[in-house]
Amino acid sequence: MSDTTSGNAAATAHDDVVVELTDVHAGYLPGVNILNGANLVARQGELIGIIGPNGAGKSTLLKSIFGLVNVRSGEITLNGESIVNLKADKLVKRGVAFVPQTNNVFPSLSIEENLQMGLYQNPKAYTERLEFVTSIFAELGKRLKQRAGSLSGGERQMVAMSRALMMDPSVLLLDEPSAGLSPVRQDDAFIRVSDINKAGVTTIMVEQNARRCLQICDRGYVLDQGKDAYEGTGRDLLNDPKVIGLYLGTLGTDAG
Ligand SMILES: Nc1ncnc2c1ncn2[C@@H]1O[C@H](COP(=O)(O)OP(=O)(O)OP(=O)(O)O)[C@@H](O)[C@H]1O
Ligand SMILES: [Mg+2]
């Protein structure tokens, strides 16, 4: 009824927020918070990088989104609706996928069976989703019968990402996709993550390889002691003397 015209840039900018964490406090043990007021915004189609020292709470932050750690205060929203402490199966139904840092494949199952597990909520879509997944991870399509437990670390990581993609998520949470890989394979992993993101999946990636992460992400967050210490575009953070001094000095050079 109103004659409000389109083109309200401020409203649009606000509306495309997909995931938002506001002042999140969360922890595993009674009385001990690991996240101490963490904030994060991921907009539609963004690739967000999270870096920071060991133990800073990076994995915990992803787990707080995916309902795997007790959120004690603060707000977490998905497309504007609260998802605080919602369980993982509910989040999967809403289009959120999570690839954990470790133990992320079923080693006794074949690659194909691993992919099918990712689609348990919509098995009819198998052929269509497999086509998309193998457009990014072509090598897996040729080895569907191979047992996941017989794969290298990098190949397992691909299976884990592929399984997460089978459900056609709108948000992908990735915990250290390059961990344990040789430099060449790390580069490959980052290219795959970029490809997934370019296909339209809003992606939040935690990475130990801080430089490479900041090079490919749209925006990054430095997490320290459970709080976002710095936020900016990947480029800004890479060039920020404080971030370099505190977090990039030795990190990121390990890939050679
Ligand atoms: N299940 C758990 N129970 C109790 N404490 C935990 C649990 N998981 C993690 N923690 C603690 O939470 C803190 C943050 O851990 P987290 O795994 O989030 O850090 P991180 O930034 O991902 O570290 P890394 O770079 O080593 O992966 C650590 O002190 C850790 O010991
Ligand atoms: Mg971690």
Side-chain angles (χ1 to χ4, degrees):
M1 284 300 195
S2 84
D3 64 351
T4 311
T5 50
S6 59
N8 183 336
T12 311
H14 184 73
D15 286 346
D16 70 355
V17 172
V18 177
V19 176
E20 182 162 21
L21 280 74
T22 310
D23 199 22
V24 170
H25 293 72
Y28 304 92
L29 306 173
V32 183
N33 281 343
I34 303 299
L35 296 183
N36 292 298
N39 300 284
L40 180 142
V41 170
R43 297 196 171 80
Q44 178 62 46
E46 273 192 317
L47 174 51
I48 299 292
I50 302 173
I51 63 167
N54 295 120
K58 304 181 297 297
S59 295
T60 302
L61 189 146
L62 292 186
K63 289 184 201 167
S64 77
I65 301 172
F66 207 61
L68 298 174
V69 58
N70 188 16
V71 174
R72 293 176 176 141
S73 67
E75 181 63 287
I76 304 178
T77 59
L78 174 69
N79 301 318
E81 287 178 27
S82 180
I83 54 165
V84 169
N85 293 327
L86 216 59
K87 291 297 166 222
D89 59 324
K90 299 264 181 356
L91 290 158
V92 169
K93 284 192 180 124
R94 292 194 187 199
V96 182
F98 174 48
V99 180
Q101 193 168 346
T102 51
N103 299 328
N104 50 22
V105 299
F106 298 98
S108 62
L109 301 183
S110 68
I111 292 176
E112 183 168 42
E113 288 162 338
N114 266 277
L115 298 182
Q116 285 164 347
M117 296 293 274
L119 207 59
Y120 69 102
Q121 292 187 331
N122 186 11
K124 284 190 190 142
Y126 182 74
T127 310
E128 180 207 322
R129 292 309 299 160
L130 185 66
E131 209 168 291
F132 171 72
V133 163
T134 52
S135 74
I136 291 176
F137 300 102
E139 53 274 72
L140 294 184
K142 298 177 199 133
R143 298 163 69 178
L144 288 173
K145 302 296 174 200
Q146 190 170 342
R147 209 170 53 82
S150 68
L151 299 172
S152 72
E155 291 163 345
R156 282 185 197 215
Q157 200 57 261
M158 288 185 199
V159 173
M161 283 197 253
S162 298
R163 191 180 67 232
L165 289 174
M166 288 302 279
M167 54 171 263
D168 197 8
S170 51
V171 177
L172 181 61
L173 310 174
L174 288 177
D175 200 348
E176 302 210 13
S178 83
L181 305 184
S182 68
V184 171
R185 288 204 171 242
Q186 287 195 11
D187 284 342
D188 187 52
F190 285 116
I191 291 167
R192 307 308 174 102
V193 172
S194 271
D195 288 345
I196 293 166
N197 176 248
K198 282 182 196 139
V201 184
T202 304
T203 304
I204 303 176
M205 167 173 65
V206 165
E207 255 298 324
Q208 201 69 242
N209 190 336
R211 278 178 201 281
R212 290 292 281 120
C213 175
L214 294 179
Q215 281 163 359
I216 68 159
C217 71
D218 296 308
R219 286 189 305 108
Y221 290 82
V222 180
L223 202 68
D224 203 347
Q225 298 181 46
K227 275 179 85 88
D228 43 304
Y230 297 93
E231 181 266 332
T233 64
R235 185 186 295 248
D236 285 349
L237 292 175
L238 275 171
N239 293 313
D240 185 323
K242 285 196 291 286
V243 174
I244 294 170
L246 287 169
Y247 307 104
L248 298 178
T250 52
L251 286 173
T253 54
D254 55 354

